[in-house]
Each structure stands twice: as structure tokens, then as C-alpha cells.
Amino acid sequence: MDTTQQGGAELVIASNRGPVERRTGADGRVTVHRGAGGLIAVLGPALASHGGVWVAAALTDEDRVAARELRARGRLDAVDLPEGRIGVRLLDFDPGDFASYYRTISSELLWFLQHHLQPGGAPTTWDAGLRGHWDAYRRVNDAFATACAEAAAPGATVLLQDYHLTLAARRLRELRPDLRSAHCTMTPWADPEHFAALPDDVRRELVSGLLGADLVCFLVPRWAEAFMSCCEQLGLRVDRARRAVRGPDRRWSRVRCFPVGVDAASLRSRAGAPDVADHERQLSALTRDARLVVRVDRMEPSKNIVRGLDAYALFLEQHPEQHGSVVHFVLAYASRGELAAYRDLAAQVGLLAEDINRRFGTADWQPVVLETRNDFGRGLAAMALADVMVVNPVRDGMNLVAKEAAVLGRRDPALVLSRHAGAADDLADGCTLVDPFDVRQLADAIAESLALPRTERTVRLERLRKGAVALPPGQWLAEVLAALAQEDRTRE
């Protein structure tokens, strides 16, 4: 793959996971694949539309080999996305440090905290061992800050992403005070009562790290409000009229919301590819003439897949007349398989799907089709053919699947959406909102959605599409950059 000289970028984006990753196929060849997750869907097109460098961790063995080779030659990887070419700087970390940073702190502690879930088997006593993991988390954040400082041109802009890099902005400001920076949290932010579960010094370091940025960005106002309340809990001054917080260094940072949408043209172009058409044919052959209730998620606790399946089973109990005419297609691709909580969830979901099929299925009707392989094209095909989309996370920063389904759906799909998803702020007037913990309410919503007249479905879908595309990735990035520029003018 072609490379490009490192350094001097006017825009640098940093996140744990990069836009692509290398894997070795069955034929022994190393190939490049698009990274998974909503963050990639947002930032890949956005960075390609503006040009720049993406700093990310090397996550596969193949990535780590490439990172060492490119670093030795002082070069960046040049990666071609569908939306254009970007430069990528991969960071190769000490395995022990990376495990502490990613698994123990980011995945088992911070992610569960922000989603108001019990830590997934993580230790909750802040003893010397957990403090050691926290030290490693700090070292990795420092390394990200250093890489961004090296890649950025004088006066450049750096965007730091998500809960993995909460400390990096403070270190970046120490290294390169000339840079403008924003930290963008793509998850929810914990309410003060949940945030208080962390030790006082850890809470202060987290908040201080974020306030090293000029802008602290969230996806919807309720997450920004929760962050400001946590700052108040720590005794920091919050000016809600200006939506600003004064950090421990007495410097003000603005708190802003940018509710990202989807790029309809890019998404429809990808959905028109041959692999998606193949998946549509396979799915149609599998489900025959049945109406499709679809969900497309990562296999993770916040997505609430178990309650979703329980609700579908209850729907089948209550509506025997629907037997044979409805299929629930569940694409729940594997995620964080190194964590016991995720492995246990995958096993539970598999057993529950088998139980529903055993209880209700017939020789020629399988009520649930469960697919756990990660295939972006298959997910697009399922959304295109959906009659009902179920998106019921217990908590979600945004959830772009709800928006993607609105853009791609060809059967005027009805959307059943958790009120605790950030996307509910943009899509409420076109969907059925549910309490993600109420299985009966979700079962009723599935039945009501299937019964909606076509005229009502069409009206709702028009509203959904308007909300889904309101701030596509390129415009999202443009608005973040414009807000940073405005902050520069304000401080002059």
C-alpha cells in the first residue's frame, strides 16, 4: 500500500480503533478491512472529506507489524476509503499496558459506567492492582497525545475521541499549547450518582483531562448536562448560560452538542454494491414471504438483545395468528470476545434464539434467524428489507443504526426505539418510543408496528429520514471545526 510522509497535518483525529484493520485470510494473504462500530461510520467519511491524519492503536498482529515497519521508515499509512484517501498513524503499545488501558479501564470500567451498567466482572475495589491499570491507561493516553503532537502542523486542530482518550487533551495542551482541540464523547455520560462510584481523584483526573480541550463535545444535550452536573459535583464552576466549565487550571472550556446523522448518498451507494444485493437474495430466500423484524447490533450488554428476544417471544405468545408470517432477523456481531461478560452474553443470546425456535417454530418456519458474523453488507441488506426495526439499547450515545435503517428501508419500515438512545432526540416524531426495560411494552410495540397502515408508515418514514440526515458526518465535522474557530476568535 502507498504511504505518505508523516507530519504537518492541519487536522488530526485520534481514537482507539482506526478506520481499517489488517487481517490474514484463509489464503494466507493480509487484507485491509473497514473497522467496526459507529465511530468509524462517523469519522471515516468526515476525515476523508477534509483530509488529514488518523492516529489509532494497532489492534491486530498484522497491524502491529505494519505499525513497526512504517514507524521505522518515518511514514504514515495511506488508506483509501470509499469517501477518499486519509493518512493513518498506527501506535504499537506494550501488550500489558494496552490490556490495562483497553480491557480493564476502558471496556470493563468506563464503558460500563457511562452506560449505567454494572462493571462486567471488573474489580470495583481501587487497590494497588487497579491503580496500576489506571497508570497504564494514563501512559497510553500520553502516547496518543504525543503522536498527535508529532503529526499536527503549527496551529492545527486535533479531535480526540471517546472514553478511551479522556486524559489525552490535557497532556496534548502541555505538549503543544498552539493546537486547537476538541474531545468528542460518542457514548452517554454518566449521571452524577453513577459517576460518584469512582474515587475522588480519578473523577477529578477524568474531568480535568477532558477540560484540557477547548471544546468538550457530546452527541445530545442530556449527556452534556450530565457532564456539567458531574463537574459541579466536584466543585468546579459551571456557567450554563455559556455552556462552559472552568477547569482546575482556571481555564474555561465550552461544552457543545453535535448530534451526528448519516450521509445518505454515501450509504445508498454502498448499499447498491453487489455484495449487498447477494445478501438480500439470500435473506429473501431464507425468510420467504415473511415480514421482517430486524435488529443490527454489536453483541454487547448495552444493546439489550436479551430483552429484545424476550419481547419477541412474548409477541409470538400473544399473537399466534402471526406464526409463520413474521421472522425476527438478528444480526448481532461478536464484540470484545476477550471479556467474560461479552462471551456470556453471546452464549445467552444463542440459547434464547434456539429456545424461541424450538417453542414456536415449525418444519417450514424459523421464527428467529441469528447471525453473529460481522458483515457490513449483510447489515445493510437486512435494513433495506426490514418491515420493523427494533433498536432498544438500555443507553446509547446516539445509535446510527436507527438512522441508517430510515435511509435504506424500502418497505416503509416502522422504527421501535429506546427512549434512552441519543437518536430519540432526532427521531421521536417518526417512531414508537419504548422503555428498554419493559419487555411487554416492546412486544406490544412490535405488534402495533406490524399493524400500522401503509399510509401511516410512509408519513413516519419521511419524518425519520429528515431527522436521520440532519447532520451528516462531513457537516458534523465542519460544525465542530467552526465551533473551534469561533472559540479562537473569542479568546483573541
Side-chain angles (χ1 to χ4, degrees), residues 2 16 68 87 109 153 173 175 198 263 294-295 297 320 479:
D2 292 337
N16 176 68
R68 290 191 288 270
L109 186 68
R173 180 161 299 283
L175 294 170
L198 296 175
D263 184 332
V294 171
R295 76 177 305 137
D297 279 315
E479 292 204 8

Side-chain angles (χ1 to χ4, degrees), residues 171-484:
R171 180 58 178 154
L172 181 64
R173 180 161 299 283
E174 294 169 356
L175 294 170
R176 291 285 304 275
D178 62 301
L179 300 178
R180 297 176 296 181
S181 66
H183 184 283
C184 304
T185 296
M186 299 299 190
T187 64
W189 187 268
D191 291 341
E193 294 77 11
H194 287 81
F195 195 58
L198 296 175
D200 183 74
D201 63 309
V202 172
R203 285 184 290 145
R204 292 185 182 280
E205 189 171 2
L206 279 170
V207 167
S208 175
L210 291 177
L211 295 176
D214 299 291
L215 288 182
V216 183
C217 306
F218 297 92
L219 291 171
V220 295
R222 53 184 136 157
W223 312 144
E225 178 61 31
F227 173 74
M228 290 189 289
S229 295
C230 290
C231 291
E232 286 181 321
Q233 182 187 65
L234 294 171
L236 298 174
R237 184 177 171 186
V238 175
D239 185 337
R240 278 184 165 76
R242 295 175 54 224
R243 301 194 70 77
V245 179
R246 190 171 68 177
D249 58 358
R250 305 184 66 81
R251 179 182 169 279
W252 288 91
S253 296
R254 290 293 185 99
V255 180
R256 296 287 304 274
C257 295
F258 301 93
V260 69
V262 298
D263 184 332
S266 176
L267 189 64
R268 287 176 179 140
S269 175
R270 176 63 183 87
D275 68 312
V276 178
D278 288 342
H279 286 307
E280 287 189 22
R281 285 191 289 271
Q282 293 168 14
L283 186 55
S284 295
L286 185 64
T287 58
R288 300 178 184 175
D289 296 327
R291 302 180 75 188
L292 278 179
V293 177
V294 171
R295 76 177 305 137
V296 177
D297 279 315
R298 286 190 300 166
M299 186 74 78
E300 63 177 40
S302 75
K303 300 305 182 183
N304 211 17
I305 301 170
V306 169
R307 289 191 184 92
L309 286 169
D310 284 341
Y312 180 66
L314 181 58
F315 158 76
L316 293 177
E317 287 180 6
Q318 294 176 332
H319 297 276
E321 75 281 1
Q322 296 282 4
H323 292 191
S325 63
V326 177
V327 170
H328 189 14
F329 181 75
V330 178
L331 175 54
Y333 58 89
S335 175
R336 297 174 183 162
E338 73 277 7
L339 301 183
Y342 287 71
R343 295 194 300 273
D344 292 345
L345 173 64
Q348 185 180 7
V349 167
L351 290 173
L352 185 52
E354 290 175 4
D355 180 64
I356 293 172
N357 287 331
R358 183 169 54 251
R359 289 169 58 195
F360 300 103
T362 64
D364 57 358
W365 174 56
Q366 183 177 333
V368 177
V369 175
L370 174 64
E371 177 58 70
T372 59
R373 291 172 295 175
N374 182 12
D375 190 309
F376 188 58
R378 183 180 285 110
L380 297 180
M383 287 187 272
L385 298 179
D387 294 285
V388 177
M389 281 296 304
V390 174
V391 181
N392 69 316
V394 296
R395 223 162 179 255
D396 216 331
M398 176 56 72
N399 196 295
L400 288 178
V401 166
K403 296 186 173 185
E404 291 169 343
V407 169
L408 294 179
R410 296 203 304 269
R411 297 181 176 178
D412 291 340
L415 173 64
V416 179
L417 179 62
S418 166
R419 64 181 72 256
H420 297 318
D425 288 29
D426 299 324
L427 306 180
D429 64 349
C431 69
T432 300
L433 292 176
V434 295
D435 180 339
F437 300 99
D438 191 333
V439 170
R440 183 173 297 277
Q441 186 184 43
L442 178 54
D444 291 343
I446 292 172
E448 292 165 5
S449 296
L450 287 167
L452 276 177
R454 177 54 63 94
T455 53
E456 176 65 16
R457 296 164 72 90
T458 301
V459 169
R460 288 189 178 199
L461 185 59
E462 289 176 356
R463 295 173 186 160
L464 289 176
R465 284 177 172 164
K466 183 178 179 180
V469 302
L471 194 65
Q475 187 180 345
W476 175 87
L477 180 56
E479 292 204 8
V480 174
L481 297 178
L484 274 172

Side-chain angles (χ1 to χ4, degrees), residues 31-260:
T31 56
V32 177
H33 299 264
R34 177 189 174 113
L39 188 65
I40 308 306
V42 172
L43 296 180
L47 186 59
S49 69
H50 286 75
V53 172
W54 193 319
V55 178
L59 299 182
T60 67
D61 289 340
E62 294 85 348
D63 281 339
R64 285 184 278 273
V65 170
R68 290 191 288 270
E69 291 176 350
L70 291 165
R71 183 63 173 171
R73 291 154 53 195
R75 301 175 75 87
L76 296 176
D77 206 356
V79 173
D80 291 314
L81 300 178
E83 301 82 7
R85 173 168 290 192
I86 62 174
V88 177
R89 165 83 183 275
L90 292 174
L91 305 182
D92 180 26
F93 291 105
D94 171 82
D97 274 4
F98 187 80
S100 294
Y101 145 84
Y102 178 72
R103 175 174 176 170
T104 305
I105 301 300
S106 295
S107 299
E108 293 184 334
L109 186 68
L110 296 180
W111 187 91
F112 277 83
L113 176 78
Q114 302 294 30
H115 289 84
H116 290 180
L117 298 168
Q118 291 295 322
T124 54
T125 301
W126 281 79
D127 54 15
L130 192 50
R131 292 283 178 179
H133 292 305
W134 182 254
D135 290 341
Y137 178 81
R138 186 187 298 115
R139 286 194 294 272
V140 171
N141 270 250
D142 286 352
F144 267 98
T146 299
C148 290
E150 292 173 351
T157 296
V158 178
L159 304 185
L160 301 159
Q161 306 301 320
D162 237 348
Y163 55 96
H164 309 90
L165 302 181
T166 54
L167 307 183
R170 175 65 58 190
R171 180 58 178 154
L172 181 64
R173 180 161 299 283
E174 294 169 356
L175 294 170
R176 291 285 304 275
D178 62 301
L179 300 178
R180 297 176 296 181
S181 66
H183 184 283
C184 304
T185 296
M186 299 299 190
T187 64
W189 187 268
D191 291 341
E193 294 77 11
H194 287 81
F195 195 58
L198 296 175
D200 183 74
D201 63 309
V202 172
R203 285 184 290 145
R204 292 185 182 280
E205 189 171 2
L206 279 170
V207 167
S208 175
L210 291 177
L211 295 176
D214 299 291
L215 288 182
V216 183
C217 306
F218 297 92
L219 291 171
V220 295
R222 53 184 136 157
W223 312 144
E225 178 61 31
F227 173 74
M228 290 189 289
S229 295
C230 290
C231 291
E232 286 181 321
Q233 182 187 65
L234 294 171
L236 298 174
R237 184 177 171 186
V238 175
D239 185 337
R240 278 184 165 76
R242 295 175 54 224
R243 301 194 70 77
V245 179
R246 190 171 68 177
D249 58 358
R250 305 184 66 81
R251 179 182 169 279
W252 288 91
S253 296
R254 290 293 185 99
V255 180
R256 296 287 304 274
C257 295
F258 301 93
V260 69

